[in-house]
Amino acid sequence: MKKILIYTDAFRGNIIPTLGISEKLHQMGVHVHYMGIPDVTEIISDTSFPSTTIFGDYYPKGSQYIAGKINANIIRSIINGGLDELIYELNPTAIIFTAYNPIEAATFYLKYKLKTFLLYCHFPIDNDFSKISFTEKIKEWSINMLMDDANLESTNILINFLIDQGYAINSLNDIMAIFENFNNIIPASKDFLTENAIISENDMYVGSCIPEYNIFHLHYDMDKLDSELSEQKKSGKMIIYCSLGSWADQIDKEKAQQITQTLINSFRQESMKDYILNISVGNLFEDYQSHASDTIRIHQWLPQMAMLKHSDMAIIHGGMGGVKECIMNEIPMIVIPLGLDQFENADRIAAHQLGVKIDAYALNDIEITSIINRLQNNTEIKNNLFKMKSSFEKASESDAWTKFNPQTLTTK
């Protein structure tokens, strides 16, 4: 049986699509084995997929992670053969790296010459709307990562290793040439893009990659939640789900608090008596739990896919995971971006008329109630959601998956 390694970072939004891909690969007859730092393998231990913990000395359990920060010790360890024994034992045919590990991927490729896939769970930030191929976008994004002052040590280690491997390095573009050997997995449909991007032979648009088995729901009493939501449905009121994501207080706590308070104030109005707001406030729970009422249900965390199956509308921050889950459930979105790739995603939601984008600082009680009322029976948005969902479903069955076919999957 062919074996594929998956090397994922610790960000939940990046782990979830790998699980969807792993399920699909398993159905295709491919053996999947995860490797990662302790916080990753602890999560994977709740699945049926095997995993091996690596680099625990550099990232002990409970570490803080910075997106785009490359750990020079990891680059050095890969080069010096720290994973030689493991790779020999597992004998993989290919490896998948997640979004924030492109430099680790390049080092790994140079060291072990494995067929390499890069999984980008969101579109590279700041250059999304150019018309170049996704491969070129990734090269630009990785160059920016290499040029970051915080990554200079890692960059120098990689350059020296490239030279040792016989590469002529005269510029950063020479370093990025290695990315032309990789396949780039995009868990989305190309139709979700707003630009007329070129598709290179290395780009793989593979659909939503939402796993059937969601390990992040394990700690919820799903029967109790289903019962509560069924009772809410019986009331005849519109159910609105809201989440600003698990990173909201870290991205911009003041903005997250402002949005949360404005939403609560909006749903207290008499004009909103026919709606029920189920809002997940994450680490801000202690600040807002006292605001709960019959029509405002305050939760610390909620299982998002389960909530969307019962909801009529969603208010979200615009991360790709939540956007895809809304599309696949055909739920109109009100997107209030906080940071990262959320602004570009919100622009796409607005451009495709799948919902409405709102600037957090322009948010007020009147605007939010007006938009909710406007979206409630908007058939055009419903039709657009149906079309986009169909496009994602088509992508999930695309020929791109043949690159993982056990009969043709080869190294290099």
Side-chain angles (χ1 to χ4, degrees):
M1 179 182 283
K2 299 290 186 181
K3 183 180 292 182
I4 292 181
L5 291 178
I6 296 183
Y7 182 115
T8 176
D9 52 68
F11 297 109
R12 173 174 169 169
N14 291 338
I15 293 174
I16 290 175
T18 73
L19 297 174
I21 289 172
S22 297
E23 290 176 353
K24 178 92 170 184
L25 292 177
H26 178 73
Q27 293 168 6
M28 294 171 61
V30 177
H31 180 79
V32 174
H33 191 105
Y34 280 81
M35 63 180 188
I37 60 178
D39 285 337
V40 169
T41 51
E42 181 180 41
I43 291 170
I44 301 304
S45 67
D46 287 327
T47 75
S48 60
F49 300 109
S51 65
T52 300
T53 301
I54 57 176
F55 303 136
D57 291 343
Y58 308 130
Y59 286 106
K61 186 177 175 181
S63 296
Q64 294 295 313
Y65 309 103
I66 302 173
K69 174 68 172 69
I70 307 166
N71 190 315
N73 290 320
I74 287 179
I75 303 301
R76 191 179 290 109
S77 178
I78 295 171
I79 291 172
N80 292 336
L83 297 178
D84 284 1
E85 185 176 343
L86 176 63
I87 299 305
Y88 178 79
E89 177 186 343
L90 294 175
N91 190 28
T93 305
I95 185 167
I96 298 173
F97 285 86
T98 50
Y100 292 120
N101 298 300
I103 308 308
E104 289 89 334
T107 308
F108 210 91
Y109 177 82
L110 290 167
K111 178 70 176 179
Y112 298 110
K113 299 300 189 291
L114 287 174
K115 189 177 184 68
T116 300
F117 297 83
L118 291 178
L119 170 62
Y120 275 77
C121 306
H122 59 72
F123 301 102
I125 302 168
D126 294 331
N127 66 8
D128 287 9
F129 297 98
S130 61
K131 295 184 179 181
I132 59 177
S133 71
F134 197 80
T135 294
E136 293 300 319
K137 295 177 190 292
I138 287 172
K139 288 165 66 176
E140 287 184 11
W141 197 55
S142 299
I143 284 175
N144 291 336
M145 197 179 295
L146 280 168
M147 293 177 66
D148 192 307
D149 289 344
N151 294 327
L152 287 181
E153 183 181 2
S154 298
T155 301
N156 288 329
I157 294 171
L158 177 59
I159 290 173
N160 289 333
F161 189 41
L162 279 161
I163 293 172
D164 290 342
Q165 296 289 306
Y167 285 79
I169 306 299
N170 297 308
S171 69
L172 283 173
N173 285 329
D174 292 329
I175 299 175
M176 291 302 104
I178 193 172
F179 285 84
E180 294 172 4
N181 298 306
F182 301 164
N183 290 284
N184 304 304
I185 308 171
I186 305 97
S189 162
K190 183 179 181 293
D191 291 336
F192 187 64
L193 302 177
T194 52
E195 65 271 28
N196 185 25
I198 299 166
I199 296 184
S200 84
E201 62 179 2
N202 292 350
D203 297 340
M204 302 167 58
Y205 291 87
V206 295
S208 63
C209 298
I210 298 170
E212 290 291 326
Y213 178 68
N214 194 322
I215 58 174
F216 294 104
H217 290 186
L218 292 176
H219 306 295
Y220 294 95
D221 185 337
M222 298 304 294
D223 291 336
K224 180 181 178 182
L225 180 63
D226 283 338
S227 176
E228 290 176 358
L229 292 171
S230 294
E231 287 300 313
Q232 292 180 27
K233 276 287 187 185
K234 288 178 183 177
S235 71
K237 296 183 177 183
M238 295 281 290
I239 298 177
I240 297 181
Y241 165 69
C242 175
S243 173
L244 300 181
S246 56
W247 271 43
D249 62 314
Q250 297 177 51
I251 295 174
D252 193 328
K253 184 174 181 178
E254 182 180 347
K255 190 187 292 185
Q257 289 173 320
Q258 175 209 341
I259 294 169
T260 301
Q261 190 61 60
T262 301
L263 290 172
I264 290 172
N265 292 341
S266 299
F267 279 82
R268 284 173 171 165
Q269 297 181 59
E270 178 64 19
S271 61
M272 301 300 287
K273 64 181 181 358
D274 293 327
Y275 297 87
I276 294 177
L277 174 67
N278 289 285
I279 181 170
S280 172
V281 296
N283 295 326
L284 301 177
F285 182 71
E286 294 295 327
D287 298 335
Y288 293 103
Q289 60 178 323
S290 63
H291 294 270
S293 68
D294 288 342
T295 57
I296 303 173
R297 312 295 174 89
I298 310 289
H299 307 264
Q300 184 167 16
W301 309 107
L302 282 168
Q304 187 157 277
M305 280 295 284
M307 287 301 307
L308 291 173
K309 291 181 187 303
H310 290 274
S311 299
D312 300 291
M313 197 178 303
I315 302 171
I316 58 174
H317 60 296
M320 270 299 290
V323 167
K324 290 187 299 183
E325 289 172 354
C326 285
I327 289 171
M328 299 311 290
N329 284 280
E330 300 179 55
I331 302 296
M333 291 166 266
I334 298 174
V335 185
I336 311 172
L338 294 173
L340 305 175
D341 61 315
Q342 298 163 17
F343 294 97
E344 285 90 346
N345 294 335
D347 288 338
R348 289 189 170 94
I349 295 301
H352 291 300
Q353 298 184 62
L354 306 173
V356 175
K357 171 189 175 182
I358 304 179
D359 186 297
Y361 292 114
L363 190 66
N364 58 65
D365 299 358
I366 296 174
E367 182 179 19
I368 193 68
T369 55
S370 173
I371 290 173
I372 289 172
N373 288 324
R374 193 166 76 242
L375 289 182
Q376 180 175 337
N377 297 308
N378 191 310
T379 56
E380 184 176 9
I381 285 178
K382 279 289 188 181
N383 289 337
N384 291 334
L385 284 162
F386 174 79
K387 291 176 183 176
M388 189 61 71
K389 176 184 177 181
S390 299
S391 176
F392 271 75
E393 290 174 336
K394 184 177 179 180
S396 70
E397 302 299 328
S398 72
D399 291 341
W401 287 99
T402 61
K403 294 188 178 182
F404 290 119
N405 191 308
Q407 280 70 47
T408 58
L409 190 62
T410 57
T411 57
K412 303 183 184 178

